[in-house]
């Protein structure tokens, strides 16, 4: 059995909830990963926006090594300094915020959904419990996060869903205006929709959504699980729109590759939870928090947000130039290092061809490719990819 391929072994013992993987990755270093046959790939999707400092960044490795030899886990019956320090870091970046820590994006959204329901329950009464979310959104796979996800294909077979959700077309202010009635406790939006293909809302949408929520007593929650922590060139993507919501959820790159999620709440919302309202055994785990502190320190010390903006602008411009020469690229969009292109050919085939040439990219939709490379990716590396993309599209 030990001689069987990883593919056969995985098929025997792992459930079928993921599409079968083609590659078995065994090592990572900087922007590159290596498979079990020693082939190397430039990772332009970075664990789907997780490995923002690249793989095995020395600062993250050092923090994990030191912390795991000092204190690995205590329950939340006790305090640990690393979760307090991490929450302090957030409070300086998201003024007035108080943190709840968990282990994933779905859990962070689950916490946010519980928080906004509880806030409205005690302030206005139980009738005000509806949460408005967007069509084509993605918020995770736990039950409330799944219900918040406005994509019926993910609901199939799991109904009945959690009651009290209402869906609006993303970017449509008139629809949002009509949906936020006096039974709505919160509006939950991604500042840029990631999984549905890096969809950037029209200018002014988030600002007007914030105004509408504050006028009607509904809380505004931004799911920044994919867009946050510098991915789009600002600490939170919503900073580019000059909006700060009541609640923000984060995860993905936060733990530098370790599982960690955070739900940050400001103002009135920050005291909706009381002792016993919500909990997570591993929430605030010292090792994950130490890794997150190293991640935040590194993006500041190495001025990586500037680099994300510069490299992202350069890459988008290069993709736009390629689109002029190559009509099979029908659209380019994104911000910072969260970018997608639309294609006139199936994206999966292009991703497969790129993989065979040593580049990992993601077919996020049938006709769209997504790029979310590490912040440290270089123009030379991206230029190499652009040449390969041009060649693949020429042949397709
Ligand atoms: N929210 C957004 C915007 C996401 O992109 C994702 C995952 O892709 C999630 C939530 C769910 O995160 P997780 O898979 O860590 O539960």
């Amino acid at each position: 059995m030990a001689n069987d391929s990883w593919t056969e072994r995985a098929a025997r013992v792992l459930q079928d909830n993921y599409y079968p993987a083609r590659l078995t990755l065994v090592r990572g270093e900087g922007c590159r990963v290596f498979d079990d046959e020693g082939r190397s790939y430039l990772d332009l999707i970075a664990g789907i926006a997780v490995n923002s400092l690249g793989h095995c960044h020395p600062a993250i490795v050092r923090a994990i090594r030191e912390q795991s030899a000092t204190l690995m886990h205590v329950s939340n019956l006790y305090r640990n300094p690393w979760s307090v320090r991490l929450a302090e870091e957030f409070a300086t970046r998201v003024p007035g915020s108080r943190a709840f820590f968990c282990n994933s994006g779905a859990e962070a959204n689950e916490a946010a959904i519980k928080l906004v329901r509880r806030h409205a329950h005690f302030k206005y009464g139980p009738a005000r419990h509806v949460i408005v979310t967007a069509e084509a959104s993605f918020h995770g796979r736990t039950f409330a996060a799944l219900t918040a996800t406005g994509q019926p294909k993910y609901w199939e077979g799991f109904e009945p869903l959690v009651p009290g959700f209402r869906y609006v077309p993303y970017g449509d202010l008139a629809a949002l205006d009509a949906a936020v009635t006096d039974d709505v406790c919160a509006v939950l939006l991604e500042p840029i929709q990631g999984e549905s293909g890096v969809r950037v809302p029209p200018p002014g949408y988030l600002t007007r959504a914030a105004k509408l929520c504050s006028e009607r007593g509904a809380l505004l929650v931004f799911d920044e699980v994919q867009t946050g922590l510098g991915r789009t060139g600002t600490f939170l993507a919503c900073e580019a729109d000059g909006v700060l919501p009541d609640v923000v959820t984060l995860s993905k790159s936060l733990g530098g590759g370790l599982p960690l999620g955070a739900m940050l709440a400001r103002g009135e919302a920050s005291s909706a939870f009381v002792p016993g309202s919500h909990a997570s055994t591993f929430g605030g785990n010292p090792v994950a928090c130490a890794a997150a502190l190293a991640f935040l320190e590194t993006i500041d010390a190495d001025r990586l947000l500037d680099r994300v903006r510069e490299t992202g602008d350069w890459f988008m411009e290069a993709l736009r130039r390629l689109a002029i020469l190559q009509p099979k690229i029908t659209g380019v969009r994104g911000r910072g290092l969260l970018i997608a292109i639309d294609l006139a050919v199936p994206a999966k085939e292009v991703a497969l061809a790129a993989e065979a040439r040593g580049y990992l990219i993601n077919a996020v939709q049938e006709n769209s490719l997504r790029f979310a490379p590490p912040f440290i990716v270089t123009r030379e590396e991206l230029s190499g990819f652009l040449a390969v993309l041009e060649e693949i599209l020429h042949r397709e």
Side-chain angles (χ1 to χ4, degrees):
M1 220 202 276
N3 290 330
D4 288 354
S5 73
W6 289 114
T7 311
E8 286 155 353
R9 290 170 67 177
R12 260 198 302 275
V13 293
L14 293 177
Q15 296 203 6
D16 292 327
N17 55 310
Y18 298 111
Y19 291 102
R22 292 174 302 274
L23 299 182
T24 303
L25 300 176
V26 295
R27 188 166 75 80
E29 190 183 333
C31 294
R32 302 200 81 81
V33 285
F34 300 83
D35 71 12
D36 56 337
E37 291 173 3
R39 277 188 298 256
S40 137
Y41 302 84
L42 184 70
D43 189 358
L44 297 181
I45 189 63
I48 316 189
V50 168
N51 305 100
S52 291
L53 297 185
H55 294 270
C56 302
H57 189 284
I60 303 280
V61 172
R62 195 177 320 116
I64 293 172
R65 193 172 278 153
E66 282 171 13
Q67 188 58 44
S68 59
T70 306
L71 183 70
M72 221 181 283
H73 176 76
V74 286
S75 76
N76 283 301
L77 297 173
Y78 308 98
R79 187 175 305 113
N80 85 68
W82 298 276
S83 68
V84 178
R85 282 177 52 205
L86 183 57
E88 284 172 348
E89 288 295 327
F90 280 128
T92 63
R93 290 164 169 81
V94 183
S97 68
R98 295 168 75 204
F100 166 80
F101 292 118
C102 51
N103 314 288
S104 67
E107 278 177 74
N109 286 327
E110 205 73 25
I113 289 164
K114 287 180 73 176
L115 183 97
V116 297
R117 280 262 174 99
R118 199 180 148 84
H119 171 260
H121 183 97
F122 289 109
K123 186 166 180 186
Y124 304 107
R128 192 165 184 137
H129 65 267
V130 173
I131 296 168
V132 175
T133 75
E135 290 168 7
S137 58
F138 189 84
H139 299 294
R141 306 295 194 129
T142 53
F143 247 106
L146 175 72
T147 310
T149 294
Q151 299 193 59
K153 69 175 179 192
Y154 292 125
W155 302 340
E156 230 166 76
F158 297 117
E159 295 95 344
L161 300 176
V162 176
F165 284 80
R166 187 174 296 155
Y167 309 93
V168 290
Y170 188 63
D172 181 338
L173 204 69
L176 193 64
D177 187 11
V180 184
T181 44
D182 58 10
D183 55 355
V184 170
C185 65
V187 173
L188 165 60
L189 295 169
E190 293 161 88
I192 295 173
Q193 287 191 328
E195 294 304 304
S196 63
V198 189
R199 300 205 306 158
V200 183
Y205 177 65
L206 300 180
T207 327
R208 310 259 295 274
K211 189 160 175 280
L212 207 146
C213 285
S214 92
E215 282 166 5
R216 308 212 180 147
L219 294 176
L220 181 62
V221 184
F222 282 159
D223 176 345
E224 293 245 14
V225 166
Q226 186 159 156
T227 54
L229 303 168
R231 171 59 50 195
T232 65
T234 46
F235 185 69
L236 298 178
C238 61
E239 286 169 39
D241 303 83
V243 193
L244 208 49
D246 302 286
V247 180
V248 184
T249 55
L250 297 165
S251 186
K252 294 240 183 227
S253 66
L254 179 55
L258 291 188
L260 180 60
M263 186 271 287
L264 310 178
R266 304 160 57 235
E268 254 182 42
S270 73
S271 37
F273 282 166
V274 297
S277 298
H278 195 50
S280 163
T281 292
F282 290 109
N285 171 272
V287 183
C289 288
L293 285 163
F295 169 72
L296 294 179
E297 249 171 62
T298 306
I299 57 174
D300 283 352
D302 296 355
R303 304 184 61 80
L304 288 180
L305 301 198
D306 294 343
R307 188 156 163 180
V308 168
R309 284 193 297 273
E310 285 159 19
T311 313
D313 288 351
W314 178 87
F315 189 38
M316 281 234 277
E317 195 40 49
L319 286 165
R320 288 201 178 103
R321 274 201 307 274
L322 184 57
I324 294 169
L325 303 172
Q326 176 47 270
K328 285 178 196 155
I329 301 179
T330 56
V332 177
R333 62 180 172 276
R335 195 186 298 154
L337 284 173
L338 185 61
I339 295 171
I341 58 174
D342 291 327
L343 298 173
V345 292
K348 212 163 211 158
E349 283 171 29
V350 176
L352 272 174
E355 186 182 293
R357 303 284 305 267
Y359 292 91
L360 301 189
I361 53 175
N362 167 242
V364 66
Q365 295 284 314
E366 215 163 291
N367 289 98
S368 311
L369 290 173
R370 174 175 49 177
F371 310 103
F375 298 173
I376 56 173
V377 72
T378 64
R379 290 184 187 191
E380 291 68 37
E381 286 169 324
L382 292 171
S383 296
F385 166 71
L386 286 164
V388 165
L389 179 65
E390 191 175 1
E391 207 182 292
I392 293 169
L393 291 176
H394 189 67
R395 275 205 219 131
E396 277 287 319

